[in-house]
């Protein structure tokens, strides 16, 4: 689960990490008033669930309040497209107005989960700012990493080593040690899968400050934090993803044309692999879960049908706990509602498989039943070919 920059900064601030003074505006008039409060010169920042705003015109240094208002109008009026948003971009509903800070140096600092070691890893670089991806790609030796032992936790001497390697010394170095320790506390106590400060800056006056912040909460831990659901900005999410969330379906939009309805994450992965091998391009990853009900299958089918990129549907279900006839009913219910004429190929196995297949073939839908997974995948690819 993502949150906005200003929310991430509030959290950092509550852990003693210095951030610029700022205000969130919902209208361009508020942007102007906030700019006045900051003394005219300020930085106006579009709040969207994506980075790369600096290069896309979503972050701007402003010199007087009227200019802030004008820029606010422009941002609120259109979708912001950055290298991280996809071609449609994201709607700007909130704007952060911050005091302008004179920057002397920019660093990169983050803590995230390393899937390989199954541990938190701290990543830092003296070459922070907007081109960190390029630094990581072209000169990986400039990226410092430290895998954190979950039992011992992060130790101040380790944080100090990082701060020194970043080229900091004296009181700024000690401030940086404290900041890194606090960032690790945020990560643990707030159940984050990522906390990122880019850039972390040393101001011309010599203070350390988080100029940008990104926090991603671990979805599996959201239930432990009652305040998290209210922090979500639904305007930043794909409406289909919101619906999937309501029904506890794992849905991820992909770029192809074959909608996939599968039960179980492992089977879903295998399904995508087999489709790809047959030359097909999946439009999504949709897992209805092991014990899916008829309602859940119907809702999953509705979500797939609302995706305009879907030209055909591939259903791959193993009916264990879940009976195949129940699944067939769910499909027929959802497809019938919208008079779906798209080609559907079903591969089913398990309890009541014959009943399920019969229901589908008598349903009047444009449906074929595959003999096995390979055969079914080849069929849907061929039908769309
Ligand atoms: P991102 O591009 O989405 O990561 O947005 P950032 O918040 O990182 O802003 C992009 C860049 O704007 C930063 O790397 C800074 O160089 C610059 N920036 C942001 N706030 C200020 C500020 O208060 N003063 C100055 N001089 N530059 C800023
Ligand atoms: Mn940034």
């Amino acid at each position: 689960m993502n949150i906005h920059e200003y929310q991430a900064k509030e959290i950092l601030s509550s852990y003693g990490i210095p951030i610029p003074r700022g205000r969130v505006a919902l209208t361009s008039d508020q942007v102007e008033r906030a700019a006045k409060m900051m003394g005219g010169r300020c930085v106006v920042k579009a709040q969207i669930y994506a980075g790369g705003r600096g290069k896309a015109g979503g972050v701007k240094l402003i010199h007087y309040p009227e200019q802030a208002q004008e820029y606010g109008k422009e941002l609120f009026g259109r979708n912001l497209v950055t290298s991280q948003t996809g071609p449609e971009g994201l709607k700007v509903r909130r704007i952060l107005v911050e005091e302008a800070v004179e920057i002397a140096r920019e660093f990169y600092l983050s803590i995230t989960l390393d899937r390989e070691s199954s541990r938190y890893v701290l990543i830092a670089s003296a070459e922070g700012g907007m081109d960190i991806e390029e630094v990581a790609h072209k000169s990986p030796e400039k990226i410092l990493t430290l895998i954190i032992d979950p039992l011992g936790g992060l130790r101040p001497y380790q944080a100090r080593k990082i701060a020194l390697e970043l080229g900091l010394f004296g009181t700024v170095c000690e401030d940086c040690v404290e900041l890194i320790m606090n960032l690790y506390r945020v990560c643990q106590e707030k159940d984050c899968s990522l906390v990122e400060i880019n850039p972390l800056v040393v101001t011309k006056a010599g203070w350390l400050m988080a100029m940008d912040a990104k926090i991603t909460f671990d979805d599996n831990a959201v239930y432990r934090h009652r305040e998290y659901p209210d922090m979500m900005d639904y305007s930043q999410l794909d409406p289909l993803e919101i619906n999937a969330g309501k029904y506890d379906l794992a849905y991820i939009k992909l770029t192809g044309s074959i909608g996939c309805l599968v039960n179980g994450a492992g089977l879903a992965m295998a399904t995508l692999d087999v489709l790809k091998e047959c030359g097909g391009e999946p439009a999504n990853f949709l897992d209805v879960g092991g014990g899916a009900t008829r309602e859940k299958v119907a809702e999953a089918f509705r979500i797939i049908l609302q995706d305009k990129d879907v030209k055909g549907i591939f259903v791959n279900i193993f009916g264990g706990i879940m009976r195949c006839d129940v699944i067939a009913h769910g499909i027929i219910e959802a497809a019938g509602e919208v008079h779906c004429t798209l080609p559907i190929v079903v591969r089913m196995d398990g309890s009541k498989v014959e009943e399920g297949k019969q229901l589908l073939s008598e349903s009047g839908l444009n449906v074929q039943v595959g003999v096995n997974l390979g055969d079914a995948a080849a069929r849907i690819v061929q039908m769309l070919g």
Side-chain angles (χ1 to χ4, degrees):
M1 174 193 153
N2 288 315
I3 53 173
H4 282 301
E5 173 193 3
Y6 77 91
Q7 295 165 314
K9 278 177 166 163
E10 274 167 21
I11 292 174
L12 295 186
S13 178
S14 72
Y15 278 74
I17 295 176
I19 57 163
R21 200 159 53 92
R23 290 214 146 216
V24 184
L26 301 173
T27 65
S28 49
D29 284 338
Q30 284 182 342
V31 173
E32 185 183 9
R33 273 167 46 206
K36 266 187 198 145
M37 268 180 235
M38 303 301 146
R41 231 176 83 84
C42 61
V43 176
V44 170
K45 310 182 79 174
Q47 299 295 289
I48 55 170
Y49 281 1
R53 296 163 304 164
K55 286 192 173 159
V59 177
K60 199 165 174 177
L61 183 67
I62 296 290
H63 299 279
Y64 48 93
E66 294 73 26
Q67 190 191 6
Q69 191 196 38
E70 240 167 68
Y71 183 53
K73 262 189 200 146
E74 191 189 313
L75 279 177
F76 280 132
R78 64 179 168 101
N79 279 17
L80 186 61
V81 181
T82 82
S83 57
Q84 295 181 12
T85 60
E88 281 119 64
L90 284 168
K91 220 173 199 53
V92 182
R93 293 285 181 82
R94 304 173 196 187
I95 287 180
L96 176 62
V97 182
E98 280 185 342
E99 62 175 327
V101 174
E102 303 246 46
I103 298 173
R105 295 185 64 189
E106 298 194 337
F107 302 92
Y108 176 91
L109 179 65
S110 70
I111 301 177
T112 186
L113 277 173
D114 175 36
R115 308 272 163 197
E116 221 161 281
S117 59
S118 313
R119 290 177 178 191
Y120 275 125
V121 59
L122 184 144
I123 303 169
S125 177
E127 312 244 335
M130 290 195 276
D131 294 314
I132 189 67
E133 285 86 0
E134 209 182 306
V135 175
H137 190 66
K138 288 198 180 141
S139 22
E141 74 283 356
K142 288 182 178 159
I143 309 277
L144 310 169
T145 59
L146 170 75
I147 290 174
I148 302 169
D149 184 293
L151 288 179
L154 182 67
R155 296 277 155 202
Y157 81 88
Q158 296 176 307
R160 188 166 297 107
K161 188 161 174 272
I162 295 281
L164 288 167
E165 282 183 78
L166 289 176
L168 300 174
F169 52 87
T171 54
V172 186
C173 178
E174 285 314 303
D175 286 349
C176 187
V177 172
E178 199 186 319
L179 187 148
I180 291 173
M181 297 306 291
N182 285 334
L183 195 66
Y184 183 58
R185 275 178 52 221
V186 172
C187 215
Q188 286 196 307
E189 289 173 17
K190 299 290 180 186
D191 285 315
C192 303
S193 52
L194 169 76
V195 289
E196 183 187 72
I197 305 178
N198 185 35
L200 168 70
V201 307
V202 176
T203 66
K204 286 210 172 131
W207 297 98
L208 212 52
M209 203 177 243
M211 293 304 293
D212 187 13
K214 177 174 176 171
I215 289 185
T216 306
F217 296 130
D218 181 345
D219 289 327
N220 296 309
V222 168
Y223 77 96
R224 296 208 285 208
H225 305 266
R226 260 193 297 175
E227 71 280 19
Y228 286 180
D230 286 339
M231 294 172 80
M232 205 112 92
D233 178 359
Y234 288 97
S235 77
Q236 302 295 305
L237 303 178
D238 178 343
L240 296 185
E241 270 174 40
I242 299 174
N243 259 342
K246 275 188 210 149
Y247 287 84
D248 209 18
L249 303 162
Y251 169 82
I252 293 160
K253 173 94 176 99
L254 301 171
T255 53
S257 59
I258 304 172
C260 304
L261 193 158
V262 187
N263 68 333
L267 191 58
M269 301 285 264
T271 303
L272 301 194
D273 282 348
V274 172
L275 273 178
K276 281 265 190 185
E277 206 151 287
C278 296
E281 288 297 333
N284 67 283
F285 173 110
L286 203 159
D287 171 16
V288 296
T293 59
R294 169 179 175 162
E295 289 74 29
K296 242 174 141 174
V297 170
E299 190 53 37
F301 216 81
R302 279 184 207 109
I303 287 172
I304 289 181
L305 290 174
Q306 282 169 51
D307 180 346
K308 298 281 172 287
D309 298 330
V310 168
K311 302 289 180 262
I313 298 164
F314 188 49
V315 179
N316 185 14
I317 298 277
F318 183 81
I321 307 166
M322 171 92 242
R323 282 172 15 210
C324 291
D325 57 334
V326 175
I327 292 159
H329 277 301
I331 295 171
I332 294 165
E333 179 189 317
E337 266 170 29
V338 292
H339 310 291
C340 168
T341 54
L342 296 176
I344 305 170
V345 175
V346 179
R347 178 266 171 174
M348 277 183 170
D349 221 335
S351 333
K352 301 258 182 189
V353 61
E354 291 314 321
E355 287 87 339
K357 286 180 178 172
Q358 192 175 352
L359 281 167
L360 286 170
S361 54
E362 289 167 358
S363 66
L365 295 167
N366 182 8
V367 60
Q368 291 191 18
V369 180
V371 186
N372 53 40
L373 177 52
D375 170 59
R379 278 188 203 221
I380 188 73
V381 173
Q382 198 181 11
M383 285 167 93
L384 296 186

